[in-house]
Amino acid sequence: MKSINKIILIGHVGAKPEGRYTPKGVSTASFSVATNEIWYDIEKKKHEHTEWHTIVAFNKIADYTTQNITKGSLVYIEGSLRSRVWTSNQQKGKKIIEVIATEVVLLK
């Protein structure tokens, strides 16, 4: 059976997207998006949780985000999850999970 790796987020941008180019000249952009969850427990006490997501975009989507998205923008993101592993300067193993964006829409 075929598997699916798809994520859809609506949230606020944490900082202006950082645009750059790969050594082969491919445009990239990375930025963070916050999603918020609010719920009430049985005693009607309010709870809140904010989750931060790292977003990476390439090519035309990267160009669009660097030109149109600013800190605080409400955005719709569609993409897939991708994990990366690397070794830090302190020789420690690091892992990050990113959303590789296939669609970015500015909502307001």
Side-chain angles (χ1 to χ4, degrees):
M1 175 170 234
K2 184 178 176 182
S3 62
I4 297 174
N5 179 0
K6 185 169 188 168
I7 185 166
I8 295 173
L9 300 169
I10 295 177
H12 289 90
V13 176
K16 177 139 180 68
E18 182 181 325
R20 54 190 169 281
Y21 291 90
T22 68
K24 292 187 177 184
V26 176
S27 177
T28 69
S30 59
F31 58 102
S32 59
V33 170
T35 55
N36 301 305
E37 180 180 7
I38 298 172
W39 71 95
Y40 295 88
D41 63 21
I42 193 118
E43 297 163 350
K44 304 206 191 265
K45 182 178 176 189
K46 184 178 179 181
H47 297 272
E48 296 183 52
H49 175 73
T50 300
E51 191 70 40
W52 286 94
H53 311 274
T54 302
I55 313 297
V56 179
F58 294 95
N59 300 311
K60 289 181 181 181
I61 298 171
D63 296 337
Y64 172 81
T65 60
T66 56
Q67 293 169 9
N68 298 292
I69 306 296
T70 59
K71 179 179 180 175
S73 296
L74 183 64
V75 291
Y76 168 91
I77 306 285
E78 196 170 308
S80 60
L81 292 177
R82 177 93 34 97
S83 59
R84 273 190 306 127
V85 179
W86 75 97
T87 303
S88 71
N89 294 340
Q90 294 79 26
Q91 302 303 311
K92 291 189 177 187
K94 299 281 187 175
K95 180 178 182 178
I96 188 169
I97 298 174
E98 301 168 318
V99 175
I100 306 301
T102 55
E103 189 170 348
V104 175
V105 178
L106 178 61
L107 297 177
K108 72 174 190 179

